[in-house]
């Protein structure tokens, strides 16, 4: 068994770490305020992920969250937090942006979304039409 890399460019340790965090995150966010939830990705680069391809990391985050038993209606937040955590561990400088659909401002329930950008380009999810950015975290 090769622990250094496999056909998709991630090591088994990297895949296991992302997969485990994807399961742990929905439980970890319960009862935490917004600032504490954002601290989930406040991690320094580390040797396990340093130099990893950002696109491959994001692709694996998506595949690790395909069945959202928890955080079902907040998939973009779950994926965004996970992507931010592992992109930062890889030594990247991503930005997590939060937006509100302007069309939902007069509705009973606001429609919100978040996505991750690097160098001004979306890498995890994308900004939806008619979204205005209300918050960003680095």
């Amino acid at each position: 068994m090769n622990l250094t890399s496999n056909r998709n460019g991630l090591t088994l340790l990297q895949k296991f770490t992302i997969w485990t965090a994807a399961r742990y995150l929905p439980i970890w966010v319960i009862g935490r305020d917004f600032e504490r939830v954002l601290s989930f990705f406040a991690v320094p680069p580390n040797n396990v992920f340093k130099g990893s391809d950002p696109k491959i990391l994001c692709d694996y985050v998506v595949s690790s969250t395909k069945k959202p038993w928890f955080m079902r209606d907040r998939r973009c937040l779950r994926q965004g937090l996970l992507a931010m955590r592992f992109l930062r561990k890889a030594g990247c400088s991503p930005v997590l942006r939060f937006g509100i659909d302007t069309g939902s401002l007069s509705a009973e329930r606001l429609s919100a979304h978040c996505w991750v950008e690097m160098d001004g380009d979306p890498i995890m999810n994308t900004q939806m039409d008619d979204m205005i950015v209300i918050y960003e975290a680095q």
Side-chain angles (χ1 to χ4, degrees), residues 20-77:
T20 303
R23 269 103 200 115
Y24 170 73
L25 178 62
I27 297 163
W28 184 83
V29 300
I30 295 171
R32 289 185 166 73
D33 64 29
F34 185 67
E35 290 299 320
R36 183 78 172 117
V37 168
L38 293 182
S39 74
F40 180 78
F41 63 78
V43 295
N46 71 27
N47 289 335
V48 172
F49 287 91
K50 191 151 179 75
S52 296
D53 183 312
K55 174 76 171 109
I56 292 172
L57 285 174
C58 288
D59 287 347
Y60 196 72
V61 164
V62 169
S63 73
S64 294
T65 58
K66 279 193 180 196
K67 296 187 181 194
W69 296 301
F70 302 104
M71 294 180 76
R72 182 179 312 265
D73 58 343
R74 290 172 268 157
R75 184 181 297 199
C76 63
L77 178 60

Side-chain angles (χ1 to χ4, degrees), residues 42-124:
V43 295
N46 71 27
N47 289 335
V48 172
F49 287 91
K50 191 151 179 75
S52 296
D53 183 312
K55 174 76 171 109
I56 292 172
L57 285 174
C58 288
D59 287 347
Y60 196 72
V61 164
V62 169
S63 73
S64 294
T65 58
K66 279 193 180 196
K67 296 187 181 194
W69 296 301
F70 302 104
M71 294 180 76
R72 182 179 312 265
D73 58 343
R74 290 172 268 157
R75 184 181 297 199
C76 63
L77 178 60
R78 184 179 186 193
Q79 290 175 344
L81 292 170
L82 288 165
M84 288 290 290
R85 181 178 184 89
F86 293 105
L87 289 168
R88 288 183 53 126
K89 283 185 175 214
C92 300
S93 299
V95 176
L96 181 62
R97 297 194 193 284
F98 293 86
I100 293 180
D101 180 359
T102 56
S104 73
L105 291 174
S106 60
E108 188 174 304
R109 184 173 180 198
L110 285 175
S111 176
H113 181 61
C114 68
W115 61 97
V116 178
E117 293 182 2
M118 283 184 40
D119 303 320
D121 295 319
I123 188 165
M124 171 63 66

